[in-house]
Amino acid sequence: MSRVSLEGAGVDHEELFAHWRVLARRDAGVAANHGATYLGAAPVWLVGEGRLVADLAEAVSRGDRGGLAAVEPEYGAQPGHSEVLAERVTDGYRLTGSTWPLANATGAQFITVLARTGRPGDTRGYSLLLVRRDEAPRTPSAPRGADVSGIDFADTLVPGSALIGDEGGGVEALLRALQLNRSVSSAFSLGAGEHALRLVAASEALREPGSPLIEQRFVRAALARCAGLLAATEACALLTARSAHCLTGELSVLSAAVKGLTQTVVDAVLAELAELLALGAGSGSVADDFQRIRRDHRTLTFLDGSTTSARNALIRRFPLLVSGFLHGKVDRPNLARAVDLGTKVGQLDRTRLTHRSILGCSAVQSLPELTRNLAATAETDGGSAPSALVRHARELTWLADELHARCAEVAPGPFPGAEAYDLAAAYELLYAGAAVLHLWRCSGTAGHDALWARVALAELNLWLRHRIGLTVPPRDEQDERAVEEFADRLIAAAEASAPLTPFGRHASPGEAQSW
Amino acid sequence: MVTTPLSQADVLDTALGDPWDDGNPAGHRAALEADERGKPFIEGERRLAEFGLNAQLVPRSEGGLFTRADHACELLRTVWRRDPGLALGFLEQRFDIARSLLPAASLGALDTALRAVTMMALETRVCGRGMAEVPLVRSTLTGVFADLLAADALCATTLRALHLLPEQAAVYAPSCGYLGTRLLLEGLEDLRVLLGTRSVLPEGRPAIVRKLARDSDAAVFGSGSRYACLAAILPQLPSLARGGRTVGWSGSAEPPKLLFDLGAELPELGPAPAPADARDAGHLLNTLIEAAGNGEAGVPAPVGRLARRLREQAARLRAECAGFGPGDLAGSPPAHAFEAASRSAVLLAAAAGRGVHRHRPDLLDETALAAVLDRLVRRLPAAGVLTQTERMEVEDHLWLELLRRVRQTRLLDLSSRRIPG
């Protein structure tokens, strides 16, 4: 998993995502430590030069671990103030202050630190510095159950060569690196979510002889809904990882959306699964393990900032997204490449990573067109897109209209109100829905019953309505039957140790999907 | 809970000392340290034993001092505001009371967590302004405050019902168990998300919030699943469809006023009664659900519109329940039956809120009621009711109240009782 540079050996983010997923299914904590290393190294790959890059490449290749000590602003649009001050001295910088959170603090050989080199609150007032273990005394004090701790600097001297990129360019570089990181770090949450789903779906606690809970309709429906939501999140995450290469210019939007989506969905899924597990008699230590999985997950999700900060990023871009949707702006050729899972993504052009997406989000903005195409195909082709899927797609598109109309009413400003955050959360769900439709369509399963996509979209549409504050229509019996059927497949897959989501392994084109 | 001054809870609070004083061997810092080391909270336990908490929770009929569930709750909440395992151990005395006491008492954890984050917001600056001035922060804190009040209305009513309508426990207790614990856990989660990356800080207020959340998770999940509570509500749903009202309590169709007169005298709690026929219990549920939406004529705008929305939702729920056939709710009930049960609990909470406001407006004024009902309505498949402006006004009102209580060290539940620390 060590790569020399983004362009040289070429990090394929889709592969990275897949690797991390596999690892995270086994141990989300270990996977996250690798993620933390990537997070610490990414700014160096992006804007570092010469010896700094070469030295770090060598260090990472030999297995050194690293981390990032920088906090993105959470409540407002201004860049984060770091509590670490870096004063220029003769041969470099003197660091004072403390910072958090920092995964890997006890095990890290290097840390990328965002420190203040200029005026507080000035976007050009911060710089990134690469600090080696031996240079910085540490006083780690970890909260229970996670290697997340703080780091203190007391007049620590670092050489001038520790500067990553140019002085004052810290925030810009950090935000671009965060885009890359967020486009793959959803792998950790998804791994944890899938692991938990499998644990519960195959649990002995739900299979006590006599009146096994696994045969209860409500238990099966709950499991199916969890699986649907995870599948949707995975579709979204996969699309985003690929978009890092194909739709690089949109990554500021996509990475923010997938981050918030993943944290929200996986937290909710874990909570629901905990409820099911608590029903099981004698679930004792399995239940305790489960609470630990939930706690670890909560800490994990902070590695690349908070959901609030990700939603800030979306809210700031509302005008762009509204305009993009209104005018149907779509980067068709690159979107087509991004959604075609059968093809490998090309090299990432790091110069196209930008703070300012020009177009918005092609996946969402192409929804009306996509829905029309699906409906037309369903009619002419004798139903290759099941009519239920078209119904969900139409509802999603209608909700997209409603959502963008509300986003248009949000007044710009550095401190958005709560309702703006709700709209951002809704946008994440919309992006997920778009990902589901795009990936289903391109996955070569024409003629298939699209069961996973139908269940996923039904849940997303429900969540969207709640988020936007719209009435929820009465239940649909066809949808409920779909959930029951999906539950059958899911539970069979769990019992057979088979993948629980459509993307559990990459399918080659034409391969029949059991989902 | 609402009781007379110098109640047993005050005595207990004083005995436990100021929790925010780092030097107090029975304070938050000491509890955190014990927790970190995975050891029991010795000093806390010693002081509880000295106070004689055990005796307070054994019914008088069995030689103890327990007479009123709401007083017992107040005592337990005092403990819960500080620490898990401490409060939990005492609840195993009597299961039927425990089922209602657990969610009610555990609101103490939410009280402390909300207080801690509010205090932190008042002391912290982010991006050049006070954290408490950030709109998202205020909305979250006032939202959690409203949820705490909603949960307390439901729990307080439930505990009084244990005394006043013991055969109807089947109506209240599972709804209280379901929604009370949901509001608790979701409130704690909202606070944790608000803290953001600060929530992983190892010391201080974030650590306290984290510990209280862990305590609550352990207690709530240890006592069973929310699905079990919903399953207990299912048998009442068919009677919702039949409509009609309970006639009783001197021939009136209204729930008894005593139910909502928090703090008023209660008859002694007897031994566990035989549960009433679930269908009779359902009649009461019907009455209460109707009360949630009743009488908005003459009630000023926001609460009136909220009441109307609640009535629509009650009607919708009733219609759905009419669709339940005789065999539907036995054996393997469908998922939508559980969903219907969860909505009935929300409507019950709304009825409790309205009842408390009507009979004790000093505990829950109209604006606070609007906040409570707004939050509850949003849990239903209903469109929002309040306008943006109304929501901001309600929020401002709650914010000032929250500030007042934090500064005066008053509880954040309906009682607003002053506490030592």
Side-chain angles (χ1 to χ4, degrees), chain B residues 20 60 70 100 105 198 209 215 265 325 341 364:
Chain B
W20 302 101
R60 208 206 288 269
D70 52 351
S100 305
R198 286 174 181 78
V209 172
D215 296 349
E265 278 303 307
L364 190 68

Side-chain angles (χ1 to χ4, degrees), chain B residues 81 118 154 281 324 334:
Chain B
R81 286 206 309 279
T118 305
L154 179 59
F324 291 136

